[in-house]
């Protein structure tokens, strides 16, 4: 079959089965999934156009049914994967004691820290972000920056001291932002 004949046959097939298959899918799943599955179904129809029988509608519905089963299996796998990721690395727990006040305080503190970071040299700010925001240890920071672990530890220590000085200049009360000089685990 030449391309123009194949394309004409596919257009005719879509006109014949498109709406009935779409209705079939919409009765069985949500709109977004139905739209995805109709696309998959038509792709299979295109790939297997030479195998389409004369009575194409039941064949196309079987294809749609199988594509819908595949989509549902993929969704179940995705949900299980999300569950595993959450079990391994749960999202941080947010305390809701006094949500309005704590949100305002946290926002103000974050603004002060951001301002203090902006006052630092770019290299100091980057190493602090790697440590505090990305939770990297000195050896991991060393790999990222392409320096020795010892150099990373020294630069991190110095950057923390500079940030502390910036925070003191901006009037941030002592104790609001924790910059434990001796611990890799102390995070803001």
């Amino acid at each position: 079959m030449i391309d123009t004949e194949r394309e004409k046959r596919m257009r005719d097939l879509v006109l014949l089965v498109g709406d009935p298959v779409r209705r079939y899918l919409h009765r069985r799943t949500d709109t977004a999934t139905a739209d995805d599955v109709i696309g998959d179904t038509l792709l299979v129809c295109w790939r297997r156009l030479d195998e389409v029988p004369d009575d194409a509608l039941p064949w196309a519905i079987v294809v749609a049914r199988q594509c819908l089963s595949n989509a549902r299996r993929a969704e179940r796998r995705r949900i299980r994967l999300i569950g595993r990721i959450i079990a391994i690395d749960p999202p941080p727990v947010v305390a809701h004691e006094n949500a309005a006040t704590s949100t305002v305080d946290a926002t103000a503190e974050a603004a002060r820290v951001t301002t203090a970071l902006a006052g630092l040299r770019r290299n100091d700010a980057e190493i602090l972000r790697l440590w505090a925001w990305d939770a990297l240890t000195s050896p991991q920071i060393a790999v990222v920056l392409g320096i020795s672990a010892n150099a990373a530890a020294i630069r991190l220590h110095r950057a923390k001291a500079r940030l502390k000085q910036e925070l003191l200049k901006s009037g941030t009360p002592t104790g609001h932002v924790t910059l434990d000089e001796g611990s890799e685990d102390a995070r803001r």
Side-chain angles (χ1 to χ4, degrees), residues 164-186:
K164 187 175 185 178
Q165 290 304 312
E166 284 293 320
L167 289 169
L168 290 173
K169 278 196 277 185
S170 71
T172 301
T174 307
H176 272 222
V177 177
T178 304
L179 293 174
D180 185 354
E181 300 293 332
S183 172
E184 285 291 329
D185 295 323

Side-chain angles (χ1 to χ4, degrees), residues 53-163:
D54 292 335
D55 192 9
L57 182 58
W59 183 86
I61 288 176
V62 168
V63 171
R65 187 170 170 226
Q66 291 169 343
C67 289
L68 181 57
S69 292
N70 289 343
R72 287 178 174 159
R73 272 193 302 278
E75 180 64 13
R76 286 191 302 269
R77 282 192 304 268
R78 187 184 71 78
I79 289 169
R80 282 194 308 267
L81 178 61
I82 289 170
R84 282 190 220 130
I85 290 170
I86 289 172
I88 292 170
D89 186 18
V93 177
V94 178
H96 295 290
E97 295 168 4
N98 190 350
T101 305
S102 64
T103 302
V104 171
D105 290 345
T107 303
E109 187 174 316
R112 287 189 295 269
V113 171
T114 301
T115 301
L117 278 171
L120 296 176
R121 294 185 333 215
R122 186 177 12 184
N123 292 341
D124 287 343
E126 176 63 11
I127 201 164
L128 286 168
R129 286 183 188 111
L130 290 169
W131 171 75
W133 295 353
D134 298 316
L136 298 182
T137 62
S138 291
Q140 292 170 324
I141 292 171
V143 171
V144 171
L145 299 179
I147 58 178
S148 71
N150 190 42
I154 292 168
R155 288 183 189 179
L156 178 59
H157 175 77
R158 291 177 181 163
K160 286 178 188 178
R162 289 184 188 110
L163 178 61

Side-chain angles (χ1 to χ4, degrees), residues 1 5-13 49 52:
M1 204 182 299
E5 287 177 22
R6 184 174 176 81
E7 290 169 7
K8 182 186 179 321
R9 185 159 180 223
M10 183 64 191
R11 276 193 301 274
D12 292 344
L13 180 64
L49 193 57
V52 176

